[in-house]
């Protein structure tokens, strides 16, 4: 740890107030919680009333704490010594310690342990025998303390020492019951409001760039930064000059106004997506559309603009009409369709790295940007797309970088940052030298955000005798200030990052497609399915869906065209296309074995998809190549399923090798066994999730066995979580008519729900 004084000194400085502590080590969190507990429980003079047992709440979705407490032992002689001193203290206060009253059990532990162990007390006793633990949300179930819970019967009138809950609302609704609250913000992802608690609260986080921090710190005004500070000396915020800066800022001003004026949700979402893409993309518009056309669930920019231009709303609202004109100017008049300013900078930095034989990581915002950038760089340097990494060029999305294992590069390029959390990549300490490429609106937006936090204090630096004002936020603000070429003292009040995030959360009612067909190049035909609760969904006839098969008593799959009235369709987290195992994977940390194998499978899929697009072929051509190499699968649809992620790769190792030969991917032919091992692991784990899904839907939780709970524990999921994420809907009607929609709109629930 970075601090130099004792842990006890930190506890003394923080125990009576609310705190934010930034660190990554769960072992340290546990030690700190235990130290806080015993610093209060074992000091008689601070107990109010003197006979009360200290009680803390731990809010966490990580099973580490329960396991750690279950395993922790106490020295028996220390327990007995403390009991004796406690009894003496109470007697000195003229408090009669009635041995027959359960209220005074803690002062007679020597006596009760002697009874429990038949006079042969061991050197150590379990922590939970002396300080009980309960688990729950509203009703707290006390974990068993010894044979038939004998020990627990002696002090059951006293508060439980530790309560562990996996929902944040427990901290708000029951805070009056506790003396202290610890919130594991690493595993609890929801918004945090420390001020809602009625007792001192400490929140643990694992990143200086957690998106909840600005809201908490603007009230809190200080924090404990115990995790290693990201190395910011060589970070360069590089201002990228464009000739559409004015248009982009004006467009966001109009969008903010239109949101206030209740502009139709679809037009809001599309406008937001286009403007967000203008800021984030690192390839020109024509390249972007070429890639997006080849990727399932991606929209082409020209189709999005076309849809805005065809909206009737432009005849109603002049601001919307002006917004469309600004967007068209950016792509056409200012040539973002042909030249991307950020790409020009990326190219120059990459060319130098390849020349110097160094390693560079380029962090992009989307899969389309990732593939497009690989395509452009590989063609310019005359390399196969699969060979870029061999020459030191790695390209990954923000999401993938945050999931990857730590690795060092000579240089890192972050291609965009508009929201506070976009700089979380810095926490990975991937390189000594990092370039962050920013348009003017990004510089201004980040400058505003980090100025608001630049006066925040890092209390841990006080313990080191350093200036507590110099925080990661203050350092970043200073660098952004230098990058701001305008140097204005008045900051932008647009709050673009917040505007983008709020618009991304808006739900669209796709029933408008009944009267307003989608006319884009990637339009698909779909039936309208109406469920008995009034909600609706568009499904392409060939889409595979999961449904409740009452005859076989399990969850089966069928094509949407085969659905019938009264069929019960299964949704995972509100999505008809998802399976439960993907939800499982989202719940575990990146160091877990399942996450590792899933990462290997994803690497295989990305390499396949990248090379497929780079080769500029279609599935028919690839199928022909595979057949000539002896591939004997009956349908070419499986090639699309592999590429689009609907399956977790080939079942046979030979298929990986064959695909490698067909697309000239040396990695597949040389390391087929490596990828196949991970695919097999994931497929086995997926079957466990499928079994649990059957149990949940057909038997509620009545037939869950220990093995099922072990699976849930492994993935850090509770039964309550499953019951929230899994739902079924009964089909009421299926339209004979086919409607034209976007591929991204298929499988999304809209309309009235329960």
């Amino acid at each position: 740890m970075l601090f130099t004084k004792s842990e006890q000194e930190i506890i003394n400085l923080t125990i009576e107030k609310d705190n934010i502590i930034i660190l990554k080590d769960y072992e340290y969190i546990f030690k700190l919680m235990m130290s806080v507990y015993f610093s209060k429980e074992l000091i008689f003079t601070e107990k109010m009333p003197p006979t009360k047992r200290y009680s803390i709440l731990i809010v966490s979705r990580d099973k580490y704490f329960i396991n750690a407490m279950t395993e922790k032992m106490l020295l028996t002689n220390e327990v007995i010594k403390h009991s004796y001193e406690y009894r003496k203290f109470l007697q000195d206060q003229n408090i009669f310690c009635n041995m027959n009253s359960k209220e005074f059990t803690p002062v007679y532990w020597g006596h009760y342990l002697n009874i429990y162990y038949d006079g042969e007390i061991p050197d150590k006793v379990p922590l939970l025998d002396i300080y009980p633990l309960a688990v729950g949300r509203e009703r707290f179930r006390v974990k068993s303390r010894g044979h038939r819970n004998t020990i627990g019967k002696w002090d059951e009138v006293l508060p439980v020492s530790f309560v562990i809950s996996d929902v944040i609302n427990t901290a708000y609704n029951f805070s009056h019951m506790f003396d202290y609250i610890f919130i594991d913000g690493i595993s609890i992802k929801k918004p945090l409001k420390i001020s809602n608690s009625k007792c001192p609260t400490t929140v643990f986080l694992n990143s200086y760039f957690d998106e909840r921090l600005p809201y908490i710190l603007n009230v809190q005004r200080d924090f404990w930064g115990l995790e290693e500070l990201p190395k910011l000396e060589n970070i360069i915020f590089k201002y990228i000059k464009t000739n559409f800066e004015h248009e982009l800022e004006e467009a966001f001003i109009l969008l903010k106004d239109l949101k206030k004026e209740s502009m139709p949700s679809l037009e809001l979402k599309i406008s937001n997506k286009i403007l967000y893409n203008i800021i984030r993309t690192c390839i020109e518009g024509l390249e972007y559309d070429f890639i997006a056309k080849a990727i399932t669930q991606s929209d082409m920019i020209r189709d999005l603009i076309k849809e805005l231009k065809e909206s009737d709303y432009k005849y109603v609202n002049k601001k919307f009409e002006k917004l469309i004109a600004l967007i068209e100017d950016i792509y056409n008049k200012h040539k973002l369709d042909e030249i991307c300013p950020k790409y020009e900078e990326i190219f120059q930095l990459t060319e130098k790295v390849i020349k110097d034989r160094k390693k560079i990581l380029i962090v992009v915002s989307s899969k389309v940007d990732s593939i497009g950038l690989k395509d452009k760089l590989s063609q310019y340097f005359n390399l196969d797309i699969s060979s870029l990494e061999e020459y030191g060029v790695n390209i990954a999305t923000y999401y993938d970088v945050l999931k990857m294992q730590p690795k060092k590069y000579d240089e890192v390029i972050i291609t965009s940052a508009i929201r506070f959390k976009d700089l979380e990549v810095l926490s990975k300490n991937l390189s000594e030298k990092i370039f962050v490429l920013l348009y003017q609106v990004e510089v201004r937006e980040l400058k505003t955000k980090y100025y608001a936090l630049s006066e925040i204090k890092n209390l841990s630096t006080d313990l080191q005798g350093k200036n507590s004002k110099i925080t990661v936020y203050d350092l970043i603000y200073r660098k952004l200030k230098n990058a701001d070429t305008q140097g204005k003292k008045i900051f932008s009040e647009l709050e673009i990052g917040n505007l983008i995030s709020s618009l991304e959360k808006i739900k669209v009612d796709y029933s408008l497609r009944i009267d307003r067909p989608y006319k884009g190049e990637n339009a698909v035909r779909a039936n309208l399915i109406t469920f008995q609760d009034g909600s609706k969904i568009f499904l392409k006839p060939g889409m595979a869906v999961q449904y409740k098969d009452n005859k076989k008593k399990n969850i089966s799959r069928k094509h949407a065209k085969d659905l019938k009235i009264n069929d019960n369709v299964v949704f995972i987290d509100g999505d008809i296309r998802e399976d439960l195992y993907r939800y499982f994977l989202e719940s575990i940390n990146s160091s877990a074995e399942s996450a590792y194998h899933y990462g290997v499978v994803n690497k295989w899929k990305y390499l396949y998809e990248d090379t497929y697009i780079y080769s500029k072929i279609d599935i028919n051509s690839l199928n022909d190549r595979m057949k000539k190499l002896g591939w004997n699968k009956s349908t070419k649809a499986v090639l699309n399923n592999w590429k689009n992620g609907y399956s977790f790769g080939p079942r046979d190792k030979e298929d990986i090798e064959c695909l490698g030969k067909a697309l000239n991917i040396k990695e597949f032919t040389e390391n087929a066994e490596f990828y196949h091992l991970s695919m097999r692991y994931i497929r086995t784990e997926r079957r466990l999730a499928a079994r649990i899904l059957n149990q949940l839907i057909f038997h509620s939780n009545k037939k869950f066995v220990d093995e099922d709970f072990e699976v849930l524990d492994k993935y850090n999921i509770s039964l309550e979580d499953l019951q929230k994420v899994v739902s079924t809907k009964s089909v009421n009607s299926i339209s004979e008519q086919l409607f034209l929609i976007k591929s991204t709109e298929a499988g999304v629930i809209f309309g009235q729900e329960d």
Side-chain angles (χ1 to χ4, degrees):
M1 297 298 170
L2 292 179
F3 53 88
T4 56
K5 295 195 177 182
S6 68
E7 293 176 3
Q8 189 60 51
E9 185 164 355
I10 293 177
I11 294 161
N12 293 340
L13 291 169
T14 65
I15 196 167
E16 302 296 345
K17 62 190 286 289
D18 294 337
N19 304 282
I20 304 292
I21 298 181
I22 300 171
L23 77 173
K24 290 184 179 179
D25 189 347
Y26 267 116
E27 182 64 33
Y28 180 75
I29 294 176
F30 180 70
K31 285 170 63 178
L32 184 59
M33 289 192 308
M34 291 294 100
S35 297
V36 167
Y37 183 82
F38 289 120
S39 72
K40 282 292 190 179
E41 175 61 30
L42 302 184
I43 300 176
F44 316 131
T45 55
E46 294 190 6
K47 289 196 175 190
M48 294 297 292
T51 56
K52 182 182 182 297
R53 181 155 60 194
Y54 198 68
S55 186
I56 68 172
L57 170 67
I58 302 164
V59 183
S60 177
R61 294 176 60 85
D62 195 290
K63 301 293 186 277
Y64 172 85
F65 298 113
I66 295 179
N67 295 336
M69 288 178 172
T70 302
E71 295 169 2
K72 188 170 178 61
M73 305 293 286
L74 300 174
L75 291 171
T76 309
N77 61 350
E78 291 292 332
V79 172
I80 295 173
K81 178 184 176 184
H82 172 69
S83 291
Y84 172 78
E85 292 173 349
Y86 189 11
R87 182 167 73 250
K88 186 175 184 304
F89 169 77
L90 293 177
Q91 289 170 344
D92 290 344
Q93 305 300 310
N94 295 318
I95 297 174
F96 174 60
C97 300
N98 184 356
M99 183 177 278
N100 296 318
S101 171
K102 295 179 179 181
E103 182 183 8
F104 293 99
T105 297
V107 304
Y108 293 111
W109 272 128
H111 171 71
Y112 291 118
L113 289 174
N114 191 58
I115 295 173
Y116 181 76
Y117 287 105
D118 296 326
E120 297 182 8
I121 306 176
D123 292 338
K124 294 182 179 180
V125 292
L127 167 74
L128 298 189
D129 283 4
I130 312 301
Y131 303 105
L133 165 71
V135 179
R137 294 181 173 186
E138 294 183 6
R139 296 179 179 178
F140 305 118
R141 179 174 52 84
V142 180
K143 288 188 74 71
S144 177
R145 299 158 67 196
H147 182 57
R148 294 193 305 275
N149 211 30
T150 303
I151 291 180
K153 294 176 181 177
W154 287 325
D155 65 353
E156 60 191 3
V157 300
L158 295 173
V160 175
S161 299
F162 306 99
V163 171
I164 299 182
S165 175
D166 63 357
V167 293
I168 191 65
N169 284 340
T170 307
Y172 306 146
N173 299 338
F174 297 91
S175 60
H176 61 281
M177 295 170 50
F178 302 99
D179 299 296
Y180 207 97
I181 295 175
F182 290 100
I183 298 174
D184 167 23
I186 301 170
S187 64
I188 299 291
K189 303 298 184 184
K190 291 191 175 182
L192 304 172
K193 299 175 183 176
I194 297 182
S195 57
N196 285 23
S197 173
K198 293 182 174 61
C199 66
T201 302
T202 288
V203 174
F204 297 107
L205 299 169
N206 65 345
S207 171
Y208 287 93
F209 306 101
D210 189 298
E211 61 186 330
R212 297 165 293 184
L213 268 170
Y215 304 100
I216 303 174
L217 289 178
N218 278 328
V219 177
Q220 186 84 2
R221 306 308 295 172
D222 58 45
F223 67 99
W224 293 89
L226 306 182
E227 176 56 22
E228 182 182 355
L229 188 73
K231 294 177 181 177
L232 301 178
E233 292 81 2
N234 295 320
I235 183 172
I236 299 169
F237 290 98
K238 201 168 182 61
Y239 162 62
I240 306 298
K241 184 174 176 55
T242 72
N243 52 7
F244 53 78
E245 289 176 349
H246 173 73
E247 285 82 356
L248 189 55
E249 185 169 353
E250 188 179 353
F252 272 112
I253 291 171
L254 289 171
L255 184 60
K256 188 173 183 179
D257 290 344
L258 288 166
K259 183 191 176 190
K260 292 178 182 177
E261 295 172 13
S262 301
M263 176 181 174
S265 60
L266 182 61
E267 279 80 354
L268 270 177
K269 296 275 281 189
I270 293 173
S271 303
N272 185 57
K273 187 167 188 176
I274 294 172
L275 293 178
Y276 181 72
N277 190 78
I278 289 170
I279 292 174
R280 302 287 261 188
T281 190
C282 54
I283 54 177
E284 66 273 14
L286 290 175
E287 176 78 12
Y288 188 95
D289 279 354
F290 171 75
I291 304 298
K293 184 179 179 180
I295 297 179
T296 305
Q297 305 296 317
S298 291
D299 294 314
M300 289 183 283
I301 299 300
R302 63 173 176 266
D303 282 345
L304 293 173
I305 295 175
K306 180 182 177 184
E307 189 165 11
L308 287 184
K309 291 171 69 176
E310 292 177 350
S311 168
D312 292 337
Y313 190 68
K314 77 174 184 177
Y315 304 112
V316 177
N317 192 300
K318 291 295 182 183
K319 288 182 180 178
F320 181 51
E321 190 176 5
K322 174 64 173 174
L323 175 61
I324 296 171
L326 288 168
I327 290 171
E328 287 194 291
D329 280 351
I330 291 171
Y331 279 102
N332 301 326
K333 178 181 172 183
H334 298 300
K335 300 186 181 302
L336 185 58
D337 243 351
E338 301 173 17
I339 301 169
C340 178
K342 287 189 176 180
Y343 172 74
E344 299 300 311
E345 185 66 35
I346 292 167
F347 168 73
Q348 291 178 29
L349 292 169
T350 305
E351 185 177 42
K352 187 174 185 304
V353 165
I354 289 180
K355 183 180 177 181
D356 295 342
R357 296 187 177 182
K358 294 182 177 179
K359 289 185 178 181
I360 189 170
L361 171 67
I362 306 172
V363 185
V364 298
S365 64
S366 71
K367 180 167 44 171
V368 175
D369 281 290
S370 171
I371 296 174
L373 196 55
K374 290 174 186 175
D375 190 16
K376 289 178 70 66
L377 292 175
S378 58
Q379 288 194 43
Y380 180 84
F381 294 114
N382 196 27
L383 300 169
D384 286 338
I385 200 167
S386 59
S387 301
L388 279 175
E389 286 194 29
E390 293 178 28
Y391 286 84
V393 181
N394 292 263
I395 300 170
T397 64
Y398 286 86
Y399 176 83
D400 290 329
V401 169
L402 293 175
K403 292 282 186 179
M404 69 171 48
Q405 296 299 317
K407 186 177 179 181
K408 285 292 183 180
Y409 298 88
D410 296 298
E411 293 181 9
V412 171
I413 301 174
I414 300 173
T415 57
S416 176
I418 193 70
R419 292 180 273 207
F420 181 81
K421 67 178 181 180
D422 288 339
L423 294 182
E424 189 171 355
V425 174
L426 300 179
S427 294
K428 302 286 287 186
N429 279 324
L430 296 167
S431 174
E432 297 290 326
K433 192 170 187 180
I434 298 177
F435 296 91
V436 186
L437 310 185
L438 304 173
Y439 291 139
Q440 180 178 289
V441 292
E442 295 175 281
V443 174
R444 309 287 291 164
E445 181 75 8
L446 290 180
K447 187 178 171 185
T448 302
K449 283 179 166 56
Y450 282 92
Y451 172 73
L453 299 180
S454 61
E455 297 296 323
I456 298 292
K457 288 186 176 182
N458 180 354
L459 298 178
S460 65
T461 56
D462 283 341
L463 293 181
Q464 303 173 70
K466 296 181 180 179
N467 183 353
S468 61
K469 184 183 176 182
I470 307 300
T471 66
V472 61
Y473 310 120
D474 191 39
L475 287 169
I476 288 176
Y477 167 66
R478 294 180 189 185
K479 287 178 175 287
L480 286 165
K481 190 177 177 182
N482 292 333
D484 187 354
T485 56
Q486 293 188 4
K488 294 179 181 177
K489 291 185 179 180
I490 300 173
F491 302 127
S492 165
E493 295 182 0
L494 260 179
E495 296 185 332
I496 293 173
N498 296 341
L499 177 63
I500 289 170
S501 297
S502 66
L503 291 175
E504 285 175 343
K505 294 172 184 174
I506 290 177
K507 286 189 175 182
V508 177
D509 184 352
Y510 293 116
S511 58
L512 60 87
R513 291 293 177 219
I514 296 171
D515 301 312
R516 181 179 157 184
Y518 177 61
K519 299 177 183 177
E521 190 174 337
N522 60 346
V524 297
R525 297 181 181 276
N527 295 99
L528 177 63
I529 313 294
T530 304
F531 298 102
Q532 289 182 1
D533 65 357
S535 60
K536 298 177 175 62
I537 194 170
F538 284 112
L539 290 180
K540 295 182 290 183
M543 282 182 72
V545 301
Q546 296 182 96
Y547 75 102
K548 185 178 178 182
D549 190 334
N550 290 314
K551 289 184 179 178
K552 295 181 179 178
K553 289 290 181 185
N554 66 7
I555 303 304
S556 301
R557 297 180 75 84
K558 66 165 67 172
H559 287 110
K561 62 183 173 61
D562 298 321
L563 278 177
K564 296 181 176 61
I565 306 300
N566 295 325
D567 272 355
N568 287 305
V569 182
V570 179
F571 291 83
I572 307 298
D573 213 8
D575 196 330
I576 204 166
R577 294 162 296 193
E578 287 294 345
D579 65 24
L580 190 60
Y581 188 58
R582 294 187 199 278
Y583 175 75
F584 277 27
L585 287 165
E586 288 297 314
S587 302
I588 55 177
N589 62 52
S590 58
S591 63
E593 187 178 8
S594 299
Y596 165 76
H597 287 292
Y598 186 59
V600 171
V601 174
N602 269 340
K603 181 183 176 183
W604 176 87
K605 186 179 82 71
Y606 293 158
L607 196 49
Y608 171 21
E609 194 169 37
D610 292 352
T611 311
Y612 174 83
I613 294 171
Y614 175 77
S615 301
K616 302 193 172 44
I617 60 173
D618 58 21
I619 287 297
N620 291 324
S621 302
L622 178 58
N623 184 54
D624 290 341
R625 291 187 188 184
M626 297 282 283
K627 294 290 186 186
K628 287 178 182 177
L629 291 166
W631 193 61
N632 59 0
K633 296 297 184 289
S634 58
T635 172
K636 62 190 175 189
V638 70
L639 295 173
N640 258 332
N641 290 341
W642 294 345
K643 180 170 67 69
N644 297 331
Y646 293 139
S647 67
F648 292 100
R651 291 183 177 277
D652 299 323
K653 184 183 74 171
E654 291 72 23
D655 289 349
I656 300 174
E657 295 170 336
C658 186
L659 186 66
K661 292 174 184 176
L663 289 174
N664 194 28
I665 305 175
K666 187 168 64 172
E667 174 74 6
F668 289 0
T669 55
E670 293 181 353
N671 297 307
E673 180 63 31
F674 169 72
Y675 291 105
H676 189 248
L677 178 67
S678 288
M679 291 171 187
R680 190 167 56 200
Y681 179 95
I682 292 295
R683 212 169 271 114
T684 301
E685 295 285 286
R686 192 185 189 187
R687 283 197 289 270
L688 296 176
R691 188 192 72 216
I692 287 176
L693 179 63
N694 275 335
Q695 301 278 79
L696 190 68
I697 288 181
F698 284 96
H699 308 293
S700 183
N701 60 358
K702 295 176 182 176
K703 291 198 175 181
F704 270 65
V705 295
D706 289 344
E707 186 180 355
D708 298 322
F709 286 110
E710 286 173 10
V711 173
L712 296 183
D713 281 348
K714 174 181 176 181
Y715 287 94
N716 199 24
I717 294 172
S718 67
L719 269 179
E720 290 88 349
D721 294 328
L722 288 187
Q723 288 162 346
K724 284 182 180 179
V725 83
V726 175
S727 62
T728 60
K729 290 179 180 285
S730 183
V731 175
N732 189 55
S733 66
I734 304 171
S735 71
E736 292 185 8
Q737 180 184 353
L738 290 171
F739 299 90
L740 285 173
I741 66 168
K742 294 182 189 179
S743 181
T744 53
E745 295 167 352
V748 180
I749 286 286
F750 59 88
Q752 181 65 40
E753 295 187 60
D754 285 336

